[in-house]
Amino acid sequence: MIIVAAAETEAIRAIEVEAIPNRFARGWHCLGLAESFKDGKPHTVNAFGQKLVVFQGENGKINVLDAYCRHMGGDLSQGTIKGDTIACPFHDWRWGGDGRCKQIPYSRRVPLRARTAAWPTMEQDHLLFIWNDPEGKQPPADVTIPRIEGATSDSWTDWRWTSTIVETNCREVMDNIVDMAHFFYIHYSFPTYFKNIFEGHTATQIMKGRTRPDIARPDAEGNTMLGNTSVATYHGPSFMIDELTYHYEGFDLHSVLINSHYPIDENRFVLHSGIIAKHSEQLPKEAAEVLAGKLSSFILNGFQQDIDIWKNKARIDNPLLCEEDGPVYQLRRWYEQFYVNAADVKPEMTERFEFEIDTTRPVESWTKECQDNLARAAEGQS
């Protein structure tokens, strides 16, 4: 028997929080749909605590540079694309995607040290990624974002993409990977199975759930959602691919959901969501496009529910957990690998870890809550 002193059990637990690191995560970050940067104009992107310029040269490659010209500080994002270079609006110094100054029209030669910061980029599945590394190293081959089934297939819908700025540190969104209970209370879902797997640079959440009976309603086409199955994996610190199947009466809707973000600074990040859905006999192309649009709005509403919590909550480094909470501390240990030098990544940050929550108690409690809600609603209608 373990005897705990009364003074210890009655002690008030203090919230502990360290200063938010001003270092930004090493890894691939998605800036959004690649097509949005292919209009022949330079684009401003505020990320990683600085201003960047994104532009597509005549060769078709999208480039990302520090936005401020190393000559006299002109803003390249206000400049002009000329060939494969971005020309500064101040003195027309022309910078290539590799960060080297290629031409100074009024000068006989370009200074040997005329270089600026350039970010490695990758265009894949109609999305634009950039690689951030505080050590300035190139991306290793084994952390490449996997290709997404359906993203380039005619048998799937086009991306439905949304973007919003969130006024908090991006660690808040990462905690959702292990937080089963918030799906019921915030998103009105009903998880019945929940498991996490961390390994290497990936963190996976496997969740099965059913539609809450107290809020279930057929859609405009008469389709009633019964539940969903989700296998969601973060590939690195910011890009999650969710193989998400919605179960309806008589058919399944197969979709891929993207949940991604990049930091603006320590206290703000851009949150993206994207979804594509597969055509089927029950959902031909036009019907699938309509449903994908509705799902996009539904998912965006879910993110807004998270945002409303994040903007009012406290940052907490020592959360007090119960048995049915997920492995928050293990997740944060995994997440730390992206904020230290590659040589300082410890085995406990990347070793395989599995944790399945016993959902017996939550399911019992939530079933009763839904039944009580239905009973109160019936009484109100009588």
Side-chain angles (χ1 to χ4, degrees):
M1 176 182 296
I2 299 176
I3 299 176
V4 181
E8 181 179 341
T9 60
E10 295 175 2
I12 297 174
R13 185 179 178 90
I15 288 180
E16 297 177 1
V17 57
E18 295 182 356
I20 297 175
N22 57 12
R23 176 172 178 146
F24 300 102
R26 177 182 61 257
W28 286 109
H29 295 73
C30 181
L31 294 185
L33 295 174
E35 194 64 29
S36 62
F37 299 99
K38 296 182 177 182
D39 57 1
K41 302 175 183 179
H43 292 260
T44 298
V45 171
N46 293 301
F48 312 115
Q50 56 196 292
K51 179 186 280 191
L52 310 178
V53 58
V54 183
F55 70 97
Q56 182 188 40
E58 286 185 350
N59 61 7
K61 186 178 185 302
I62 302 178
N63 309 287
V64 181
L65 303 177
D66 187 306
Y68 295 115
C69 181
R70 293 308 194 256
H71 173 221
M72 293 287 286
D75 186 349
L76 298 178
S77 68
Q78 302 300 310
T80 306
I81 298 173
K82 297 181 178 180
D84 293 329
T85 68
I86 180 71
C88 179
F90 202 175
H91 300 91
D92 204 29
W93 283 41
R94 302 178 187 181
W95 299 88
D98 61 357
R100 293 182 180 275
C101 183
K102 304 297 184 181
Q103 183 184 4
I104 304 173
Y106 62 87
S107 177
R108 287 180 295 178
R109 63 179 65 90
V110 175
L112 294 176
R113 298 180 64 183
R115 297 195 64 180
T116 189
W119 275 255
T121 64
M122 176 177 67
E123 186 177 341
Q124 184 171 288
D125 297 326
H126 303 302
L127 305 176
L128 177 64
F129 298 87
I130 65 170
W131 172 261
N132 180 64
D133 187 347
E135 296 182 87
K137 297 179 180 179
Q138 293 296 304
D142 61 349
V143 298
T144 300
I145 304 295
R147 293 192 175 274
I148 298 169
E149 180 186 359
T152 57
S153 171
D154 291 337
S155 61
W156 288 66
T157 67
D158 295 329
W159 285 115
R160 292 290 198 280
W161 200 264
T162 67
S163 178
T164 186
I165 294 176
V166 183
E167 303 284 339
T168 191
N169 183 264
C170 54
R171 190 183 74 177
E172 300 296 344
V173 70
M174 301 303 294
D175 280 348
N176 280 4
I177 303 173
V178 297
D179 189 353
M180 178 192 71
H182 97 286
F183 283 98
F184 183 87
Y185 296 106
I186 305 302
H187 302 310
Y188 309 117
S189 182
F190 197 129
T192 57
Y193 177 86
F194 198 93
K195 182 177 181 179
N196 288 117
I197 303 172
F198 310 144
E199 185 171 23
H201 72 289
T202 64
T204 298
Q205 173 200 92
I206 304 171
M207 181 169 61
K208 298 178 183 179
R210 58 177 183 247
T211 300
R212 285 180 55 164
D214 54 339
I215 61 172
R217 299 286 188 278
D219 62 20
E221 288 73 36
N223 299 315
T224 300
M225 187 188 298
L226 304 178
N228 61 70
T229 302
S230 167
V231 180
T233 300
Y234 268 95
H235 299 272
S238 68
F239 190 77
M240 186 196 79
I241 302 173
D242 186 358
E243 297 177 2
L244 181 58
T245 301
Y246 291 99
H247 307 296
Y248 289 86
E249 288 184 351
F251 69 96
D252 286 344
L253 171 64
H254 299 285
S255 68
V256 174
L257 168 66
I258 299 302
N259 171 5
S260 71
H261 65 272
Y262 64 84
I264 298 173
D265 52 35
E266 298 94 324
N267 299 301
R268 294 179 298 164
F269 65 90
V270 173
L271 179 64
H272 289 304
S273 71
I275 192 167
I276 54 175
K278 189 176 184 179
H279 307 160
S280 65
E281 292 184 6
Q282 296 83 0
L283 283 174
K285 183 176 181 179
E286 290 186 4
E289 292 284 356
V290 170
L291 191 52
K294 292 180 179 179
L295 289 174
S296 178
S297 298
F298 174 76
I299 291 164
L300 183 60
N301 181 61
F303 279 137
Q304 187 58 54
Q305 292 165 334
D306 280 320
I307 292 169
D308 290 341
I309 294 292
W310 294 334
K311 70 182 181 182
N312 292 297
K313 72 178 291 296
R315 180 180 173 90
I316 180 168
D317 291 340
N318 63 329
L320 181 61
L321 305 177
C322 65
E323 289 183 38
E324 286 74 18
D325 285 325
V328 176
Y329 289 98
Q330 290 84 352
L331 168 70
R332 292 182 179 179
R333 190 176 302 123
W334 169 85
Y335 189 48
E336 187 182 358
Q337 67 178 289
F338 306 111
Y339 288 86
V340 299
N341 290 343
D344 296 327
V345 174
K346 300 176 182 178
E348 57 263 32
M349 299 176 184
T350 59
E351 290 174 341
R352 185 176 179 88
F353 172 85
E354 297 187 25
F355 187 88
E356 179 180 335
I357 293 178
D358 182 352
T359 60
T360 303
R361 172 59 183 171
V363 168
E364 290 176 353
S365 173
W366 295 337
T367 297
K368 185 178 185 306
E369 182 170 337
C370 292
Q371 291 171 344
D372 291 344
N373 290 341
L374 289 169
R376 281 192 291 270
E379 290 176 359
Q381 295 173 356
S382 60

